[in-house]
Amino acid sequence: MSEQSEHWGPQSVPVAGGAAGESMSDQRLVRGVRARRRIARHGVDVASLEGLGGLSIGRLAADLELSKSGVQTLFRTKENLQLAVAESARAEFAEAVVRPAQAAEPGAARLRALAERWIAYAEAPLFAGGCFWAASLPEFDSRPGMVRDALLLHRRNWLALLAGELRHGVDTGEISELDPDLTAFQIDAVLMAANTALRLGDPDVVSKVRRVVDGFLAPSPH
């Protein structure tokens, strides 16, 4: 797995062991971890529709028929809830888009695989409202803080992943000379535009995305 893709890999969550003599506190920890995951994953769907600002501890508790005090105990603050939701989105995206694409050869093939997996992620939405970052980044782009920092890190890692595959293709002579960072930015912009078009019911945008990506991945003439 490339250095950039490691940023999207699964992150471990401490879970208590399953020995027969497991203490009551360990059992509570396991239940707490599972509850956090369930709540955060539902939060991703809500945020993909309404933005992270639409999240609240009371809202998610009501949606999932949980006690507000119990959810409050797990997250403490709205910011902590938003950060947990952003991490849940990152982990789901990694499993659906990034990790499967690693099976392709580095360079053009992997870039195409990433684009295809991203199209599938938006075309048959992994999250209820489509792309989580398309809904969340505009809301926090001018709001300094930990949530903005987390979203910005996700974006930077995604662009670095695209640029890394483009750079590999250029270095090996597989694709024509180009600016990897600029091209990654352009491809990401096209994917974000495609998410909006798909939400508006324009299925033809998928073929346009593929044509754009293919144009950037033209073979080197040498």
Side-chain angles (χ1 to χ4, degrees):
M1 185 178 291
S2 68
E3 180 180 351
Q4 290 85 4
S5 67
E6 288 176 357
H7 294 296
W8 288 97
Q11 296 183 354
S12 61
V13 177
V15 178
E22 186 178 54
S23 69
M24 187 65 69
S25 62
D26 284 345
Q27 293 176 31
R28 285 196 296 268
L29 175 60
V30 171
R31 289 196 296 270
V33 168
R34 289 172 179 166
R36 279 180 59 89
R37 286 175 176 165
R38 180 186 175 212
I39 294 164
R41 180 59 182 84
H42 178 65
V44 178
D45 282 331
V46 174
S48 70
L49 288 162
E50 304 175 17
L52 280 166
L55 295 177
S56 72
I57 287 172
R59 160 76 182 277
L60 297 188
D63 286 354
L64 297 173
E65 299 182 342
L66 300 171
S67 72
K68 183 177 178 180
S69 62
V71 178
Q72 180 80 49
T73 298
L74 289 171
F75 295 99
R76 303 292 181 185
T77 67
K78 180 173 180 176
E79 182 178 63
N80 286 342
L81 174 63
Q82 291 170 328
L83 289 169
V85 167
E87 170 56 23
S88 179
R90 184 209 63 80
E92 291 271 341
F93 182 86
E95 288 300 313
V97 177
V98 178
R99 289 178 64 83
Q102 299 305 306
E105 290 295 319
R110 188 172 294 172
L111 197 289
R112 282 195 177 89
L114 285 166
E116 287 297 324
R117 298 298 303 190
W118 198 99
I119 289 169
Y121 151 81
E123 194 173 26
L126 179 64
F127 309 131
C131 180
F132 169 81
W133 292 273
S136 301
L137 280 167
E139 184 182 12
F140 281 85
D141 57 5
S142 301
R143 294 169 58 182
M146 292 180 66
V147 176
R148 179 182 184 274
D149 291 346
L151 297 173
L152 179 59
L153 180 61
H154 296 168
R155 173 171 167 74
R156 285 175 173 169
N157 288 342
W158 170 246
L159 290 173
L161 179 60
L162 298 178
E165 300 305 336
L166 291 163
R167 189 170 290 110
H168 181 90
V170 171
D171 290 345
T172 59
E174 181 184 15
I175 59 178
S176 296
E177 189 69 29
L178 50 73
D179 181 329
D181 293 320
L182 174 60
T183 305
F185 176 85
Q186 292 170 313
I187 290 174
D188 177 68
V190 168
L191 293 174
M192 286 295 192
N195 176 76
T196 300
L198 286 168
R199 301 283 71 74
L200 293 173
D202 178 12
D204 294 338
V205 72
V206 172
S207 64
K208 295 174 185 176
V209 171
R210 291 182 176 131
R211 285 164 58 193
V212 169
V213 172
D214 286 342
F216 285 126
L217 301 182
S220 173
H222 304 295

